[in-house]
Amino acid sequence: QVQLVESGGGSVQAGESLTLTCTASGKMVLISAVDWHRQAPGNQRELVATTSSDGSTTYADSVKGRFTISRDISKNTASLQMSSLKPEDTAVYYCNLRGTYWAALGVRSFDSWAQGTQVTVSP
């Protein structure tokens, strides 16, 4: 299986920046697609940004122009760079990675979620 660990969350003032990182552990992991989601208290989970195997990216309108999604295949990581943060960006952020890894019987696919990291933006 592929385990994910998120890092980079925290508390910032409006207008500041944060970068979230999601690191995948496993044998011969190859990340093909990445989604970042967030969930604020009382709200449903929201898809914030995606990148697929061809490198294309999509963003929610609420973060377009402020957030940048990326993946580093050589390091088994995915990142979400967030700038010009607003109080309404406050939420728990989750990464969801999909790809392949080497298991005992050969290459297997994975679809893993990280534990989530809190981002709090003060006015």
Side-chain angles (χ1 to χ4, degrees):
Q1 261 296 4
V2 175
Q3 304 294 324
L4 304 184
V5 175
E6 274 190 62
S7 61
S11 298
V12 297
Q13 301 277 340
E16 294 183 342
S17 300
L18 277 177
T19 297
L20 306 182
T21 301
C22 189
T23 303
S25 62
K27 192 171 184 179
M28 294 179 65
V29 172
L30 178 63
I31 300 170
S32 59
V34 180
D35 293 341
W36 285 92
H37 299 249
R38 68 185 180 187
Q39 187 166 21
N43 291 357
Q44 290 189 331
R45 190 170 291 191
E46 172 191 18
L47 179 61
V48 173
T50 70
T51 184
S52 55
S53 56
D54 65 359
S56 60
T57 58
T58 61
Y59 297 93
D61 287 343
S62 58
V63 307
K64 204 170 292 184
R66 300 187 297 120
F67 289 14
T68 303
I69 188 173
S70 62
R71 60 187 172 125
D72 188 330
I73 295 174
S74 66
K75 296 181 180 178
N76 290 344
T77 60
S79 295
L80 184 68
Q81 296 175 278
M82 306 183 293
S83 62
S84 302
L85 283 162
K86 304 175 181 180
E88 50 263 45
D89 294 319
T90 295
V92 177
Y93 284 72
Y94 301 89
C95 62
N96 169 219
L97 271 56
R98 298 178 297 285
T100 59
Y101 70 106
W102 181 262
L105 298 180
V107 176
R108 306 290 292 271
S109 61
F110 73 91
D111 183 343
S112 298
W113 286 79
Q115 78 283 5
T117 188
Q118 177 70 45
V119 171
T120 302
V121 184
S122 303

